[in-house]
Amino acid sequence: MTVLDDSDMAAIRAAYGDNPRLLRQIVDDVAEATGVSASAILGESRVRRITRARQIVRIVAHRQGLSLTEIGQFLRRDHTSVMHGIRQEAERRQA
């Protein structure tokens, strides 16, 4: 499982300012609300409940004004994966 360490966070913070702090807070909040650990959300698992939590992080972060690239960089995903996750969660919420 891939987890961001302090050096990763420092590099991301240098590139994007304080947005990683906001993203980390979103991850922690979603982890608490869903019962999925933050390390699982930041990991590579494709288990449905973990990917759903990851999609929630994406849509919340995007609604907070973060760019697809910023979210993808933090979650170690391509911006198109972030787009897909946002789209999936938005469709799920409309159903």
Side-chain angles (χ1 to χ4, degrees):
M1 220 180 277
T2 304
V3 180
L4 298 176
D5 61 21
D6 290 339
S7 64
D8 294 327
M9 289 299 293
I12 294 170
R13 191 172 290 113
Y16 297 109
D18 283 333
N19 287 341
R21 184 173 296 136
L22 172 61
L23 276 162
R24 185 62 205 208
Q25 184 61 51
I26 292 168
V27 168
D28 290 343
D29 291 348
V30 171
E32 185 177 327
T34 62
V36 175
S37 71
S39 62
I41 291 171
L42 296 172
E44 298 179 15
S45 174
R46 293 187 180 194
V47 173
R48 182 175 290 178
R49 68 186 199 93
I50 296 172
T51 58
R52 174 85 193 275
R54 200 175 292 133
Q55 289 172 347
I56 294 169
V57 168
R58 292 170 180 167
I59 197 166
V60 170
H62 191 62
R63 288 182 177 174
Q64 290 292 321
L66 279 74
S67 73
L68 301 176
T69 302
E70 288 172 318
I71 299 165
Q73 179 85 22
F74 186 82
L75 297 174
R76 295 186 179 182
R77 303 290 192 286
D78 186 76
H79 77 280
T80 58
S81 296
V82 175
M83 281 176 26
H84 175 74
I86 291 169
R87 192 173 298 125
Q88 289 294 312
E89 186 60 25
E91 287 174 9
R92 193 175 294 112
R93 290 176 181 214
Q94 288 178 355

